[in-house]
Amino acid sequence: MDDDNQIFIPPSFSALYCDAHARLRLPVAELRARYELCEDLACHLVAQAQQLLHGAVPSEAQVLLRIYQGLCTPGSGCNASEARWIALRLAELLQWECPLLVSPDTGAAGAAPAA
C-alpha cells in the first residue's frame, strides 16, 4: 500500500474497525477520517471536562461518564465504540483514571487504555 499520509492511527482505534482476523472492515481513508474526528473531539473535550469538574460535576469519574453518555446519543456523530474510545482518550489526555463505561443501549461495560 502506497500511502503518503503520516497520521499514525493507534491500534486501539484500528481495532474498532477490524474483524476477528484483524482485517479492516472499511477503507483506510475512511478509518483515518473517523480517527481524526474522534481524536479532535477528545482534544476539544479536555477544556469542557475541566470546566465541568470545577463546576457542577463532583468527580472526574462523573465527568467522564456524562461525556461518554452524551457521545452515545444518536445525534453525536459517533457510534458507541467510538464514544468509548473518545472517553478513554479523554481520560488519558487529562491523566484521570477512567471509570467503568457502561453503554446506555446495551448495558455492556468495559474500560481499557485508549492509546
Side-chain angles (χ1 to χ4, degrees):
M1 172 170 62
D2 185 20
D3 189 6
D4 292 333
N5 194 301
Q6 298 195 7
I7 293 176
F8 172 74
I9 300 172
S12 62
F13 190 83
S14 297
L16 302 179
Y17 291 99
C18 286
D19 63 16
H21 301 287
R23 293 178 296 219
L24 282 177
R25 297 178 307 205
L26 72 165
V28 174
E30 190 175 335
L31 176 71
R32 185 179 301 112
R34 296 305 304 169
Y35 168 70
E36 288 182 47
L37 173 78
C38 291
E39 177 68 19
D40 288 349
L41 186 51
C43 291
H44 176 73
L45 287 169
V46 167
Q48 182 177 353
Q50 290 170 329
Q51 288 176 344
L52 287 170
L53 181 63
H54 298 296
V57 183
S59 71
E60 294 170 355
Q62 283 298 311
V63 170
L64 292 168
L65 283 171
R66 290 181 187 190
I67 288 174
Y68 170 67
Q69 290 169 348
L71 291 169
C72 285
T73 61
S76 74
C78 61
N79 61 43
S81 59
E82 288 175 341
R84 182 176 177 276
W85 188 90
I86 292 165
L88 292 168
R89 178 67 175 133
L90 178 59
E92 180 181 44
L93 291 169
L94 291 164
Q95 298 181 342
W96 293 355
E97 187 171 329
C98 194
L100 186 64
L101 300 173
V102 178
S103 174
D105 295 338
T106 65

